Amino acid sequence: MKIGVFDSGYGGLTILQGIRKRMPDYDFIYLGDNARTPYGTRSFEVIYQYTLQAVRFLQSQGCRLIIIACNTASAKALRTIQQKDINPDEVRVLGVIRPTVEKVAQLSRNNHIGILATPGTVSSGSYVIELQKQFAALNRPIRISQQACPMWVPLIEAGEQDSPGADYFIGRYLDLLLLQDPLIDTIILGCTHYPIVLNAILRHLDGRDINIIAQGDIVALALVDYLKRHPEIDKACSRGASCTYLTTESPEKFVDSARIFIKEAVKAQKIELF
Ligand code: DGL
């Protein structure tokens, strides 16, 4: 059985990369809904419907473990899918928000947390709710500031991440976040696309002592831990060190753009979600 990894587009490749570093022997299917990306500016109903279609598709490919490598889909659709749409005896669906929140509590020294994410993730309030729970359990106060970055995903998906336009919008959203709370000591990159612009983010922060949380390795470690706790699922995972790439857009476009995210040549197949 292959492990399914899903994102609205290319961003989930940053998660897949982290997972494959920790679990090089396992087999994966990556599904990018590139034809309908970005999800971040869409309504709850639409994101839920698209994400459920992707889960059903990966299930039809034999995946019994699926990682929603997309914060927007994790924030808007994961809980409903887990509670209403799937039978956990048949398939397990995991997201990226919980493991990220646990990491924040380990890293922050002053409890001033910033979140950069898509408009969908910000408006869902998912990070705020999960962070408040986590810090309350640790008996720590917390101050949370969120900033939506609606331009980042379209710029990255268009391959414009190194352009002057991207640089302008990276600086703009960071400034807006730090204006809300200049004491922020930990920033969550709450979108799986954002590690692609990590260098530009660091450049704009200009040596400020702020933890930047990218999710690839965090989600990978959480998955390793999950499989340890569920040996029956681990046993069912095949180990041929392969990854099949599926996209709802043109495979040529996927292969071309995927080079930004993964430094190896890949082949892709086109599929349809409905
Ligand atoms: N990469 C996705 C995330 O982590 C969302 C990108 C989008 O489709 O807006 O939120």
Side-chain angles (χ1 to χ4, degrees):
M1 181 264 289
K2 296 181 180 186
I3 299 173
V5 178
F6 166 69
D7 182 44
S8 61
Y10 299 112
L13 292 171
T14 63
I15 300 288
L16 178 71
Q17 233 185 344
I19 294 174
R20 291 193 79 194
K21 250 192 215 151
R22 296 266 172 197
M23 301 168 55
D25 299 340
Y26 288 71
D27 292 317
F28 298 91
I29 299 181
Y30 182 86
L31 170 56
D33 190 5
N34 302 83
R36 303 190 293 194
T37 198
Y39 281 14
T41 42
R42 294 185 188 274
S43 67
F44 164 83
E45 242 345 286
V46 170
I47 295 169
Y48 165 61
Q49 194 191 332
Y50 287 0
T51 307
L52 183 58
Q53 289 169 359
V55 166
R56 294 276 186 244
F57 181 87
L58 286 167
Q59 240 187 308
S60 77
Q61 302 300 297
C63 298
R64 283 168 46 208
L65 179 59
I66 297 169
I67 315 299
I68 305 290
C70 173
N71 289 270
T72 309
S74 294
K76 295 265 191 184
L78 179 64
R79 182 157 303 179
T80 314
I81 290 175
Q82 283 172 332
Q83 289 175 350
K84 290 211 327 222
D85 299 302
I86 56 162
N87 175 354
D89 291 335
E90 289 167 9
V91 62
R92 301 287 173 99
V93 184
L94 310 176
V96 290
I97 292 179
R98 276 288 335 146
T100 308
V101 162
E102 282 164 20
K103 189 73 184 177
V104 174
Q106 288 167 23
L107 289 181
S108 175
R109 300 169 301 271
N110 70 2
N111 308 319
H112 287 250
I113 312 301
I115 300 162
L116 296 169
T118 65
T121 300
V122 167
S123 71
S124 75
S126 294
Y127 268 107
V128 175
I129 295 165
E130 293 297 330
L131 281 166
Q132 279 169 343
K133 262 197 249 163
Q134 180 78 13
F135 276 64
L138 297 168
N139 227 347
R140 280 164 62 177
I142 185 167
R143 174 156 174 196
I144 306 168
S145 307
Q146 301 198 90
Q147 178 60 47
C149 312
M151 293 303 292
W152 287 9
V153 170
L155 284 163
I156 293 168
E157 288 281 325
E160 293 287 339
Q161 65 281 351
D162 297 320
S163 65
D167 205 54
Y168 168 78
F169 280 108
I170 289 164
R172 178 168 165 73
Y173 297 143
L174 275 173
D175 288 348
L176 287 173
L177 179 70
L178 291 169
L179 214 60
Q180 291 181 51
D181 179 2
L183 294 181
I184 287 171
D185 82 341
T186 303
I187 295 178
I188 300 174
L189 300 186
C191 170
T192 54
H193 282 68
Y194 297 175
I196 298 300
V197 291
L198 179 60
N199 286 338
I201 291 172
L202 293 174
R203 213 170 40 245
H204 277 281
L205 289 177
D206 197 21
R208 281 176 76 153
D209 189 15
I210 297 178
N211 304 305
I212 304 291
I213 300 193
Q215 298 171 303
D217 198 46
I218 295 170
V219 175
L221 286 171
L223 181 58
V224 169
D225 182 58
Y226 183 86
L227 290 173
K228 255 191 214 140
R229 289 183 284 111
H230 297 87
E232 70 294 351
I233 300 177
D234 191 40
K235 227 169 126 190
C237 294
S238 58
R239 287 159 169 83
S242 75
C243 187
T244 304
Y245 294 91
L246 305 176
T247 175
T248 53
E249 245 286 354
S250 108
E252 292 76 26
K253 189 172 180 306
F254 182 91
V255 167
D256 198 41
S257 303
R259 279 198 209 109
I260 304 164
F261 298 81
I262 34 177
K263 307 285 174 223
E264 61 177 1
V266 300
K267 282 191 195 139
Q269 283 160 248
K270 179 172 175 164
I271 60 112
E272 268 177 42
L273 292 177
F274 46 83

